Amino acid sequence: MNSQFRTVEPALIEQRKTFRHPVQIQRTAIRQHGKSAKKGELVDVSIYGCRVACDSIIAEGSRVWLRFEGSSPVSATAIWCRDGHVGCRFDETLEQGLFRRLTLISE
């Protein structure tokens, strides 16, 4: 049966617990276990996770360590990786002081 309506892709369901704050922090590093750190840019962040733009391809479920400007390493799991971005879920909620610093920094 032909339809006069065009077909569309299904909508993506937002599954995050909280809003991610858009940021642009270029001094970010991401490292997989047993590999060297790669430069990245923090694109958005919440206390539960973040999105990092980087050239690395990281498999879903991989353990990663993130280092943001002036922070200690933060452990996380790569939830997805596509189009030069990696979505990460932190192992523990991000410390409030670090979260405030990240969301107040502007470059």
Side-chain angles (χ1 to χ4, degrees):
M1 171 183 230
N2 289 340
S3 171
Q4 67 183 15
F5 303 104
R6 64 183 167 92
T7 57
V8 295
E9 296 294 320
L12 296 176
I13 298 172
E14 180 62 56
Q15 297 179 354
R16 294 187 183 116
K17 295 178 183 179
T18 185
F19 174 77
R20 286 214 179 152
H21 297 269
V23 294
Q24 187 177 11
I25 300 175
Q26 295 176 352
R27 290 180 293 274
T28 299
I30 186 167
R31 182 179 66 82
Q32 293 182 72
H33 181 72
K35 297 187 178 180
S36 59
K38 303 290 184 184
K39 289 183 180 182
E41 180 178 335
L42 184 62
V43 176
D44 61 36
V45 65
S46 77
I47 60 170
Y48 299 107
C50 67
R51 178 167 45 127
V52 176
C54 69
D55 294 335
S56 296
I57 297 175
I58 299 174
E60 292 178 14
S62 295
R63 303 271 304 137
V64 295
W65 286 263
L66 302 157
R67 187 180 295 264
F68 308 115
E69 181 177 348
S71 79
S72 298
V74 176
S75 61
T77 301
I79 302 301
W80 57 266
C81 181
R82 67 180 168 274
D83 302 326
H85 290 89
V86 180
C88 299
R89 180 180 56 225
F90 301 133
D91 292 345
E92 297 181 13
T93 56
L94 203 60
E95 191 268 324
Q96 285 291 347
L98 176 57
F99 178 73
R100 276 197 282 302
R101 283 196 316 271
L102 291 173
T103 55
L104 293 175
I105 292 174
S106 61
E107 292 192 15

